[in-house]
Amino acid sequence: MAHFFLPLFFIFVPVLLLFYMAAEIHSRDRKSALHRWTAIHVATYAIMFFGMFLINVLPQASALLAAHYLGGSTWFLNLMTGFFFLRKFIRYRIPSFLVWIGAIGAMSGLAAVLAGYPGFEIAVRSEPVWKTYERGELLNLWVFALSSYSTLLNLWWFGVAYRKLKAKPWAVLERKRIRLFIIGIAAMMAGIAILQTLSDRLGLTMYFSDDLIAFYMVFVYVGALRYAMVNYDFLSSGGRRYEILFQNASDGIVICDEDSRIMDANPAFLRMSGIAEDRADKSWLRTYITDLYYSLEQPLNKDLFIEAKTSRKPLRLQRRITMRRTNRTLDLDVCIAFFEMDGEVWSFEILKDITVQKSTEEKLIDQALHDQLTGLGNRRKFFEQLLAELQVLENSDSSLTVLMIDLDQFKWLNDTLGHFAGDELLRKVAERLRMAVPENGCVARLGGDEFAVLLPGVRWEQEAEALASELIHQIRKPYLILNRQYLIGASVGISIAPRDGCDAEELLRNADIAMYTAKKAGRDRYQMFMPAQREDSERALALVNGLWTALEGDEFSLHYQPQIDLGTGRIIGVEALLRWNSSELGPVSPDVFIPIAEENGLIVAIGDWVLRKGIEEGKRMMDAGFPELVVSVNVSPRQLKERQFASKVADILREQNFPAGNLCLEITESSAIEDLELSLLICREIVESGVNLALDDFGTGYSSLSMLSQFPFRTVKLDKSLIREIETSPHDAEVVQMIVKLSGLSGIEVLAEGVETKRQFELLNRFECSFAQGYWIGRPMPEPEFLSWMQAAVSREIGGTF
């Protein structure tokens, strides 16, 4: 009986513990490869020592079979599964060949045992107390070699992993697990060696055989597994992982029963609710969740809640609530899932605090709808407000007014005083508009110096005009900027719905058209929208669009008007005049498209084209037999503001091999004085390059004679408005005579424009005017026609003919 109860108590009971351990590990996560290999590894220990139990309780013949198939075989299986367990356990990849060396060695030993290869025999030896395995010499050597290899590989690679983890100070549990396994393996091996030595020296081998010592020391290793599992979350179960998530989640989690009483809550929810995190304090358990907060918003839709509860579909919503304990208002993103518990439907609620996110969103929305400089609504805000008011208008017989306001002289002030002063002025204008517009109105800054006002409920046109007049009056008052007072004006356009349209974009467009009409009419005034204005605006837009394509579409051309010497009748030059024959609009007068080109900035590109084309065609005319011909080209104000304009002219002359002395650039007095210092610098650079300079349209604008002394003009061109009446107006004739004499004293030649009669020609000749140009002499002509005209004119005496 002793031979049965001793193995039963000292071997079989521990074997059952090992089987239980293997089953527990596998059940924790059946899908995990690490759990699977760990369970198999522990189970092979259990099977191996179960064989030890069998050889101690079975008859000799049966014991031999148990030793052969369970003792020796499972030893190699244990070693093989140990290699794969090691590979799965250590996150730093072990070289595959090291694992396969051990695995192949174990499989070879297993095959040798099962085949009964010489030296791999297993026998059973009876001792006074226990039966033990007796292995062949080769088997002992093979087992020793593989055991040593496995131990060294385990210790070496655990050491490598532990050393690499030092670079990851946050991986605390991983380091503790590996350190524990290193200690466990070392303790197991040391324990086997120490106990076997003591057993031999004390003569206790009959009680403590080598196999029994190895069996019990395995529990040190398996105990390390168990300790790591319990204390370091190694091989943790799904329930344990969910508990970790529940306790450490940053979002509040609360579980409520069917009556909305709290059954459990995580620390994040307790913090959120203002409840102490002391887990011993359970006073909040079974309280109604609604006792913890109140909401000023509409109550939760009960029908929606009941429907989600019935269908078991998750419910997601956002709520703004105030916690009763802290009086703190929170914005929460709430997700509610329903599940059945003890015959009731409970709820699992996740509450994410989005207060900061909501606050940021509200600030972003506010920024998206308001002008940051003035605090007024922006274009988007104004448009949304206009859409809302138009919807109201659909169901009423009322009306609303839209006013577009553009500040006059603002660009000049902003460029002169700087952007700081400009911003300060815009803020002051915004405040005046805010004060002047009734409370039910909406004021917005659309951008730059453009503002808009929306006023619903305006029934009469006179009310809109009165408001526009008041706004202009308020804007016109002086502004104190940088300790000085400045004045500006405003142009206002008015459109009224539904009279001028019921579409938001149409109303804004019509008010904008009216505002530009007010600017063209002289600025500092208001203008009511009229349908005819839209036609003018659409035509102007068509002109702008046409100008964009005119250059590329070869729609521009130059016509040349001759200039003659009044004394000799000789042709001394031509003026290049731009013409536009639009493919869509037909011939367009320069008086129409030039101002539009200047307004939209296209005049620079057009002016460059005219300059290049005039020089190119002028070169052909010179080569055709008129080498002394001077080509005059008009320069726009914007071109004269280009710092590199003189060098650009020089480059074109060089490209075309055109003599600088045969080019004359005509500038107006108004363009020269826009930036007097820069204009003077550029004009001097032009003259220094050999190009002639003429003052165009003299007799209009300021007509300052000081210009003649400041700028290096060679020629002054009298405007046709001075020439038109010299036949009948003695005053105009005297003015022309005076300009000719004063110019002559300064060494400047005079050219009269707009000569249309023989009498004008004769008077100018008598006044000793140098040159003349006009329809009586020759109309503007394309290059081929002009060349023919010149060749015909050379053959006759021009002075006598005209």
Side-chain angles (χ1 to χ4, degrees):
M1 293 295 290
H3 286 292
F4 180 78
F5 284 109
L6 280 175
L8 181 66
F9 183 75
F10 286 102
I11 300 177
F12 186 69
V13 171
V15 165
L16 291 179
L17 289 176
L18 289 174
F19 275 121
Y20 173 77
M21 179 74 174
E24 182 187 18
I25 291 170
H26 185 253
S27 65
R28 281 173 168 255
D29 192 345
R30 289 180 171 86
K31 295 180 180 180
S32 166
L34 176 59
H35 283 67
R36 198 158 47 245
W37 279 109
T38 307
I40 292 171
H41 187 50
V42 173
T44 57
Y45 278 119
I47 295 169
M48 185 167 57
F49 293 118
F50 180 63
M52 185 185 292
F53 166 73
L54 290 178
I55 69 170
N56 276 277
V57 297
L58 291 175
Q60 185 68 16
S62 300
L64 279 171
L65 290 174
H68 186 76
Y69 289 106
L70 293 180
S73 302
T74 51
W75 184 267
F76 289 112
L77 286 173
N78 175 264
L79 283 172
M80 187 170 60
T81 56
F83 287 121
F84 289 105
F85 161 71
L86 176 66
R87 194 179 185 205
K88 289 292 179 183
F89 173 73
I90 297 179
R91 300 180 191 279
Y92 298 96
R93 182 65 63 188
I94 300 173
S96 298
F97 75 92
L98 294 177
V99 174
W100 282 106
I101 286 173
I104 291 170
M107 287 188 285
S108 300
L110 175 61
V113 169
L114 293 176
Y117 193 81
F120 282 83
E121 302 88 354
I122 299 177
V124 177
R125 185 176 68 247
S126 297
E127 300 287 347
V129 179
W130 306 101
K131 291 179 182 179
T132 60
Y133 296 113
E134 187 172 348
R135 303 178 184 90
E137 289 183 8
L138 284 178
L139 179 56
N140 272 329
L141 183 61
W142 202 262
V143 169
F144 175 77
L146 282 176
S147 299
S148 300
Y149 180 79
S150 174
T151 302
L152 290 173
L153 184 61
N154 273 266
L155 291 174
W156 173 58
W157 206 252
F158 274 129
V160 170
Y162 186 77
R163 189 168 62 254
K164 288 186 177 182
L165 280 170
K166 286 185 177 180
K168 297 181 178 181
W170 55 88
V172 178
L173 288 179
E174 187 76 5
R175 282 201 306 279
K176 287 182 177 180
R177 284 198 290 265
I178 289 178
R179 187 166 59 229
L180 180 65
F181 274 80
I182 293 172
I183 293 170
I185 293 170
M188 180 179 71
M189 301 307 296
I192 290 172
I194 292 169
L195 290 177
Q196 284 178 350
T197 302
L198 287 175
S199 176
D200 289 341
R201 290 190 176 184
L202 297 175
L204 300 174
T205 53
M206 70 175 62
Y207 299 106
F208 300 102
S209 66
D210 291 347
D211 291 337
L212 194 62
I213 290 171
F215 171 57
Y216 277 103
M217 291 313 298
V218 163
F219 274 92
V220 175
Y221 175 67
V222 176
L225 271 176
R226 177 70 184 177
Y227 188 87
M229 186 170 68
V230 173
N231 294 282
Y232 300 148
D233 291 327
F234 176 60
L235 302 176
S236 57
S237 65
R240 172 62 179 154
R241 290 198 294 271
Y242 292 136
E243 176 66 19
I244 292 170
L245 286 173
F246 185 77
Q247 293 298 328
N248 295 289
S250 58
D251 296 337
I253 301 174
V254 59
I255 298 173
C256 297
D257 68 5
E258 199 166 58
D259 297 322
S260 296
R261 289 177 300 190
I262 300 174
M263 305 307 291
D264 199 2
N266 71 340
F269 177 81
L270 299 180
R271 288 193 299 270
M272 193 182 289
S273 305
I275 300 171
E277 289 188 48
D278 181 7
R279 298 300 289 177
D281 177 16
K282 300 290 186 179
S283 60
W284 47 271
L285 270 175
R286 296 189 174 276
T287 60
Y288 291 99
I289 191 170
T290 50
D291 291 342
L292 299 179
Y293 67 86
Y294 64 89
S295 175
L296 299 178
E297 296 180 340
Q298 274 191 319
L300 181 65
N301 189 323
K302 288 186 177 179
D303 292 337
L304 184 66
F305 187 83
I306 292 171
E307 181 185 347
K309 189 175 181 179
T310 305
S311 63
R312 303 287 199 279
K313 290 181 180 178
L315 180 63
R316 186 155 195 171
L317 57 141
Q318 291 188 357
R319 300 280 288 165
R320 175 167 289 180
I321 63 174
T322 302
M323 293 300 179
R324 296 184 188 274
R325 296 198 182 199
T326 61
N327 204 33
R328 182 183 170 210
T329 300
L330 301 174
D331 286 295
L332 299 176
D333 183 73
V334 184
C335 183
I336 307 174
F338 300 94
F339 62 96
E340 194 168 330
M341 174 68 72
D342 299 330
E344 295 183 345
V345 178
W346 287 20
S347 60
F348 180 88
E349 304 181 18
I350 301 176
L351 297 87
K352 184 178 182 64
D353 187 351
I354 57 171
T355 307
V356 175
Q357 177 186 331
K358 273 287 186 182
S359 175
T360 303
E361 286 176 0
E362 288 172 0
K363 287 179 182 177
L364 289 174
I365 290 171
D366 183 73
Q367 291 174 3
L369 295 176
H370 289 84
D371 174 52
Q372 299 305 300
L373 176 65
T374 62
L376 297 176
N378 59 13
R379 181 180 294 273
R380 178 181 171 185
K381 172 74 171 176
F382 186 83
F383 195 78
E384 289 179 358
Q385 187 72 25
L386 179 56
L387 286 174
E389 292 294 342
L390 287 171
Q391 285 184 341
V392 173
L393 200 66
E394 289 178 359
N395 301 317
S396 68
D397 59 350
S398 184
S399 60
L400 61 84
T401 297
V402 173
L403 297 93
M404 296 288 283
I405 305 164
D406 191 81
L407 303 182
D408 302 327
Q409 298 91 40
F410 173 78
K411 186 178 185 302
W412 171 83
L413 188 145
N414 192 55
D415 292 345
T416 305
L417 301 182
H419 293 296
F420 176 81
D423 290 348
E424 181 63 21
L425 177 63
L426 289 172
R427 280 191 286 266
K428 290 179 181 291
V429 170
E431 185 57 32
R432 291 187 186 182
L433 291 175
R434 191 186 286 113
M435 298 295 292
V437 173
E439 289 185 4
N440 65 329
C442 172
V443 186
R445 179 185 173 219
L446 303 187
D449 61 345
E450 193 172 56
F451 296 83
V453 173
L454 169 64
L455 189 64
V458 176
R459 290 186 173 275
W460 308 104
E461 193 174 292
Q462 291 80 357
E463 293 180 62
E465 290 177 337
L467 176 60
S469 180
E470 175 62 19
L471 295 179
I472 293 172
H473 173 70
Q474 292 297 329
I475 293 171
R476 197 184 288 146
K477 291 179 180 180
Y479 296 88
L480 186 64
I481 307 289
L482 301 177
N483 298 319
R484 290 188 63 182
Q485 285 193 339
Y486 295 92
L487 295 172
I488 62 168
S491 300
V492 181
I494 307 170
S495 65
I496 299 176
R499 188 194 70 182
D500 299 325
C502 293
D503 178 74
E505 291 186 2
E506 184 181 12
L507 284 170
L508 286 170
R509 184 170 60 251
N510 290 343
D512 201 50
I513 290 170
M515 182 265 291
Y516 276 105
T517 304
K519 276 191 174 295
K520 289 178 183 176
R523 304 176 184 266
D524 200 31
R525 65 188 65 205
Y526 66 83
Q527 178 67 52
M528 194 71 67
F529 172 75
M530 304 293 289
Q533 296 169 3
R534 186 189 294 118
E535 296 175 7
D536 294 341
S537 177
E538 289 173 352
R539 176 167 174 79
L541 181 62
L543 287 171
V544 171
N545 291 335
L547 285 170
W548 279 109
T549 57
L551 282 169
E552 296 179 0
D554 199 26
E555 295 180 358
F556 285 127
S557 63
L558 293 181
H559 286 202
Y560 297 93
Q561 189 169 32
Q563 299 169 339
I564 66 167
D565 185 321
L566 284 169
T568 64
R570 184 171 55 88
I571 300 170
I572 52 94
V574 292
E575 181 179 5
L577 300 170
L578 181 62
R579 295 293 183 263
W580 178 25
N581 187 19
S582 171
S583 58
E584 293 184 4
L585 304 171
V588 184
S589 169
D591 294 335
V592 173
F593 72 80
I594 292 294
I596 292 174
E598 288 177 345
E599 185 178 342
N600 289 274
L602 293 169
I603 194 64
V604 173
I606 294 174
D608 290 348
W609 182 89
V610 171
L611 179 63
R612 188 176 294 276
K613 192 71 172 177
I615 290 173
E616 178 188 325
E617 295 184 346
K619 184 69 168 60
R620 286 204 294 267
M621 287 187 277
M622 291 170 61
D623 294 342
F626 304 98
E628 297 181 0
L629 191 72
V630 175
V631 178
S632 296
V633 177
N634 291 280
V635 176
S636 72
R638 292 210 181 194
Q639 284 177 289
L640 202 58
K641 290 179 181 178
E642 287 187 310
R643 181 62 191 86
Q644 304 301 320
F645 180 65
S647 61
K648 182 189 291 184
V649 173
D651 290 341
I652 296 174
L653 290 172
R654 196 178 305 110
E655 289 172 14
Q656 300 292 333
N657 195 26
F658 192 90
N662 287 68
L663 176 66
C664 179
L665 298 181
E666 300 183 4
I667 66 171
T668 62
E669 185 179 14
S670 59
S671 65
I673 64 174
E674 279 189 15
D675 189 335
L676 188 62
E677 186 176 342
L678 178 62
S679 298
L680 190 58
L681 177 63
I682 292 174
C683 286
R684 285 173 179 168
E685 290 177 350
I686 290 171
V687 172
E688 286 172 3
S689 70
V691 176
N692 301 305
L693 205 63
L695 179 61
D696 197 15
D697 297 339
F698 193 80
T700 61
Y702 296 101
S703 298
S704 171
L705 293 174
S706 65
M707 287 281 293
L708 302 181
S709 61
Q710 284 181 286
F711 283 78
F713 293 120
R714 179 177 177 178
T715 307
V716 170
K717 297 187 72 174
L718 298 180
D719 188 72
K720 60 185 177 183
S721 61
L722 287 175
I723 308 302
R724 188 180 300 121
E725 303 296 332
I726 60 171
E727 298 176 72
T728 57
S729 171
H731 175 266
D732 286 357
E734 289 177 5
V735 169
V736 170
Q737 280 184 291
M738 180 189 68
I739 293 172
V740 170
K741 287 180 180 178
L742 290 174
S743 299
L745 293 173
S746 302
I748 299 174
E749 300 169 327
V750 177
L751 186 151
E753 289 186 291
V755 179
E756 297 182 354
T757 66
K758 183 178 180 182
R759 179 61 179 161
Q760 290 173 348
F761 183 92
E762 292 171 346
L763 285 173
L764 289 168
N765 198 4
R766 195 172 72 191
F767 295 160
E768 297 183 352
C769 181
S770 304
F771 310 115
Q773 171 184 344
Y775 270 74
W776 193 74
I777 299 166
R779 60 179 177 80
M781 295 165 274
E783 178 202 354
E785 185 180 340
F786 180 74
L787 274 173
S788 300
W789 182 89
M790 281 203 303
Q791 288 164 351
V794 168
S795 63
R796 63 180 182 269
E797 184 63 34
I798 301 297
T801 304
F802 294 110

